[in-house]
Amino acid sequence: MKTFILGLFIIFSTLSYGQDTTVYQVSPRFENCQETDLKQLDHCFNQEVYKALYAQFNLPESVKADYIGEIAVIFEVTKDGLFKTIYVDAQNSALKKETSRVFSAFPKIKPATYNGNPTFKQYSMTLYFPLNENNIPSNVIVTSATTDTDITVNPIEELTVLQQKAKQEFDSVQKSLVKYTNKAYKSQVNVPFSHENYSRFDQDVNRIGTNNHTASKPYRYEEVSNYYDFEAENEALQRTSQSWAGRKLWDEHLVQLESKDYWLTIDPILDLQLGKDTDADFSYTYNNTRGAYIQGGLGSKLSFSASVYESQGRFAQYYNQYAESLKAFGPDPAIIPGRGIAKRFKEDAYDYPVAEAYLSYSPAKFLNIQFGHGKQFIGDGYRSLLQSDVSSPYPYLKLNTKFWNIKYTNTWTWLKDVRDDVTLDKAFRTKYIANHYLSWNVTKRFNLGLFESVIWENSNDRGFDINYLNPLIFFRAIEFETGQGAGNAILGASGKYKLSDNANVYGQFILDEFSLSDVTGGNKSWKNKYGFQLGAKWYNAFKTKNLMLQAEYNQVRPYTYSHNTIVLNYAHNNQPMAHLWGANFRELVLIGRYQKDRWFGEAKMIAGIRGFDVNDGTDNFSYGGDIYRNYNDRPFDTGVTIGQGIKTTTLNASAQLGYLVNPASNLKAFVNLSYRNYNPEAETPSVLNNSTVWINFGVRTDLFNWYFDM
């Protein structure tokens, strides 16, 4: 086929030559071709090239004497009349080396000319083995119209510069690759947000005097690299295995490519767990997740990431019950909290695929734009009352603008209400949330944040309201313009004070609705829908390096985040967009984390009081904990307190020991022991007394937070 194509090109060239005798370009000339007519010059050149190859080519010792095959050669005659091989394609390196040697031994000849000026000329040809005159294929076309010659030559095709460049394109791409240098650590890619991951550099981004903004998460590597040396930390953890398999297991990405213009990494995602729940009817718990994690960058301004999961799992009994209480409209039996809708797998397990991805682009140093499918978090604590990552992933558009002492975050999200009673033509109801968060470093110690949010639904063909695309407005004004029933606005604030490089305190305040007259009257009105958070972190606690202690208190009054148009609650896929517990609760969180090289440990205790609805057929009132209920279904207007309804005390305690298997892919091995006590004052079908111990172990690619303390 190769010969046929070259032959067609030569025929076309010969015919064209016969139609126009005007000569602008003259081919190179061997000494034996000096007196050759211009029309026969190409034919003479071909003959001399083949003669020289036939006379000088020696089969390497590693190649059998009866070798049958071919070699494709691209070569050039320079403007100085020298032969130079550009590309050789053969079955082994010895043949390539010998071909290059023969061409380098060719004599210097008279170069090609164009309009009388010396120029280079490039050619391609194919050598057939065995090298003898009887082995030339019958379909070879000679470059000359004259055929009464004793020498038959292989076809030689002249290539233009553009054609030659195209033939070298693949090799050029391969040659552009350089040693992988972890360009991700300076890129627009997000640092995967899990509390354990972020604790590794939490102190560095919170030192006194840094003009950093820590509430809006996830962070980009580019941001954190100003305070934390990912490269140095990665090198310190290297095990320097000599084998390819060892490097890929312990130190490197499975696939890692880099050039001056781009980089790409690919890693497997694993979450393989096996455990035992003492309260469950089944024999064991498990999770079986397989997937792929892809990251990359094009230039210095555009990065991308994608993670795709295929999972099956069966969890602790209380977790399975909670997942099934979140059930969406349709046949699927559950929503796995934080992951997504699940279908039945076998008799008592779940199959739940998840996909997350985003593009991250920084057109200027002060601006980053992200568009993707994932989750966001605003806050410095374990929980967030403003925007949390406890729900399923969702589509979002996010703008981060940083200048002076300010960072301004705008997030627009596309959410779903998946309940039976709000479906529209058997389809999930779409709603939207637009959030503004302004972070201001007032001093080198004190940070103040202001938050506002509006939720609106896709009803009456309203769709995505363009009014809320304006990043510099107060949503309350827009809400009044479009009608107070058209949206649900929420306001909030946050703050952090750095006591020292080793300690800081932080807090949040969320306001859904407020009546000053009711506060001063002391009647505990239902209208006072608000919550707050207070917390503290202590790094290198008790002078122990890498030991971090954290204490946090959260409380949210009943009916916060809910609405009388129940689609307009602050939630997605039957899960809250803020605190995991919704509303009508108070809790205390105590956490200790320790790291030593690749080893890490965590101890956590969460104690709280919650209020649940009765729902026994005689009392169907909303007591303010379920944010999916209409707040107009309340039993009274005053005397509203946290814990009303079925008061329930909860205790979640856990201890985890783990080992960072691969810092590049964030693969970890762990064993976890957790205890949960759930003690309601009265039991209902949906609120059951429960006490369980759950132990599980496995390996997990740690890319997101997974909360089991509901």
Side-chain angles (χ1 to χ4, degrees), residues 69 84 117 130 222 275 302 400 437 546-547 551 625:
K84 180 175 69 174
N117 298 314
E222 180 190 45
L302 177 64
N400 272 319
Y437 180 70
N546 295 327
L547 173 63

Side-chain angles (χ1 to χ4, degrees), residues 161 266 333 422 429 448 486 564 572 591 594 696 701:
V161 175
I266 304 176
V422 299
R429 187 75 69 87
L448 175 65
N564 58 1
H572 164 63
I591 301 174
Y594 179 72
N696 61 326
T701 306

Side-chain angles (χ1 to χ4, degrees), residues 89-102:
D89 185 15
Q91 290 188 4
N92 62 55
S93 58
L95 286 171
K96 293 181 182 180
K97 187 176 181 179
E98 175 62 13
T99 302
S100 297
R101 183 198 68 79
V102 172

Side-chain angles (χ1 to χ4, degrees), residues 232-246:
E233 294 297 325
N234 182 64
E235 290 180 0
L237 294 174
Q238 295 294 298
R239 295 183 54 157
T240 60
S241 175
Q242 297 301 312
S243 68
W244 180 89

Side-chain angles (χ1 to χ4, degrees), residues 231 242 248 285 331 421 426 510 578 592 616 626 630 653 655 709:
E231 187 69 33
Q242 297 301 312
K248 297 303 175 182
T285 66
D421 52 348
K426 297 184 179 181
I510 186 73
D616 62 356
D626 184 355
N630 186 333
D709 40 36

Side-chain angles (χ1 to χ4, degrees), residues 645-657:
I646 298 180
K647 187 176 181 180
T648 303
T649 59
T650 66
L651 176 65
N652 290 274
S654 65
Q656 182 176 183
L657 177 66

Side-chain angles (χ1 to χ4, degrees), residues 360-648:
S360 180
Y361 178 60
S362 292
K365 185 177 181 180
F366 58 84
L367 177 64
N368 175 258
I369 305 169
Q370 293 192 7
F371 180 69
H373 189 264
K375 296 187 281 188
Q376 308 298 316
F377 189 98
I378 295 178
D380 288 291
Y382 176 71
R383 308 286 200 191
S384 175
L385 307 185
L386 307 182
Q387 185 176 15
S388 184
D389 61 340
V390 302
S391 71
S392 307
Y394 44 78
Y396 69 90
L397 173 64
K398 180 179 180 181
L399 273 64
N400 272 319
T401 308
K402 184 177 179 182
F403 60 94
W404 186 52
N405 297 336
I406 286 177
K407 182 177 182 180
Y408 191 42
T409 302
N410 303 88
T411 310
W412 295 271
T413 59
W414 288 254
L415 309 180
K416 295 292 184 181
D417 194 318
V418 299
R419 292 169 293 161
D420 292 7
D421 52 348
V422 299
T423 55
L424 186 62
D425 297 328
K426 297 184 179 181
F428 298 146
R429 187 75 69 87
T430 299
K431 63 180 180 180
Y432 312 95
I433 295 182
N435 289 342
H436 294 167
Y437 180 70
L438 176 67
S439 175
W440 175 26
N441 286 327
V442 183
T443 72
K444 64 182 180 181
R445 291 177 181 265
F446 177 57
N447 172 269
L448 175 65
L450 300 176
F451 174 82
E452 61 174 349
S453 174
V454 69
I455 307 104
W456 74 99
E457 65 167 320
N458 184 17
S459 61
N460 300 322
D461 296 323
R462 184 183 183 192
F464 190 94
D465 195 332
I466 196 171
N467 287 295
Y468 296 116
L469 282 178
N470 188 338
L472 300 174
I473 53 90
F474 290 99
F475 286 143
R476 275 295 182 184
I478 296 297
E479 185 186 15
F480 276 101
E481 287 181 9
T482 56
Q484 294 190 48
N488 178 20
I490 296 174
L491 301 177
S494 68
K496 180 177 65 181
Y497 188 81
K498 303 172 185 177
L499 301 171
S500 69
D501 283 350
N502 289 319
N504 62 65
V505 293
Y506 59 89
Q508 289 184 340
F509 180 79
I510 186 73
L511 179 63
D512 193 355
E513 192 169 349
F514 190 74
S515 175
L516 181 60
S517 61
D518 289 319
V519 171
T520 56
N523 58 8
K524 298 180 181 178
S525 170
W526 74 276
K527 295 180 182 179
N528 294 323
K529 298 185 292 181
Y530 63 86
F532 66 87
Q533 173 188 90
L534 292 174
K537 293 179 182 178
W538 185 14
Y539 310 105
N540 300 324
F542 303 110
K543 298 183 179 180
T544 303
K545 186 178 180 181
N546 295 327
L547 173 63
M548 188 191 80
L549 301 180
Q550 181 177 3
E552 181 176 301
Y553 176 80
N554 298 289
Q555 80 166 43
V556 178
R557 280 181 53 79
Y559 308 109
T560 308
Y561 306 117
S562 61
H563 200 264
N564 58 1
T565 303
I566 55 177
V567 177
L568 298 181
N569 58 1
Y570 197 50
H572 164 63
N573 264 15
N574 289 342
Q575 302 153 85
M577 284 291 288
H579 196 287
L580 176 64
W581 290 0
N584 194 10
F585 71 86
R586 60 170 57 96
E587 71 166 349
L588 176 66
V589 180
L590 300 175
I591 301 174
R593 303 183 193 275
Y594 179 72
Q595 300 153 13
K596 177 66 175 178
D597 300 325
R598 294 196 181 204
W599 291 95
F600 64 92
E602 176 193 88
K604 180 169 57 179
M605 186 192 76
I606 300 175
I609 295 174
R610 306 170 66 180
F612 291 95
D613 296 340
V614 178
N615 291 334
D616 62 356
T618 60
D619 184 351
N620 294 318
F621 291 112
S622 170
Y623 286 90
D626 184 355
I627 66 176
Y628 274 91
R629 295 288 302 273
N630 186 333
Y631 58 56
N632 286 333
D633 293 339
R634 61 189 179 275
F636 34 75
D637 292 340
T638 59
V640 173
T641 60
I642 291 176
Q644 67 180 20
I646 298 180
K647 187 176 181 180
T648 303

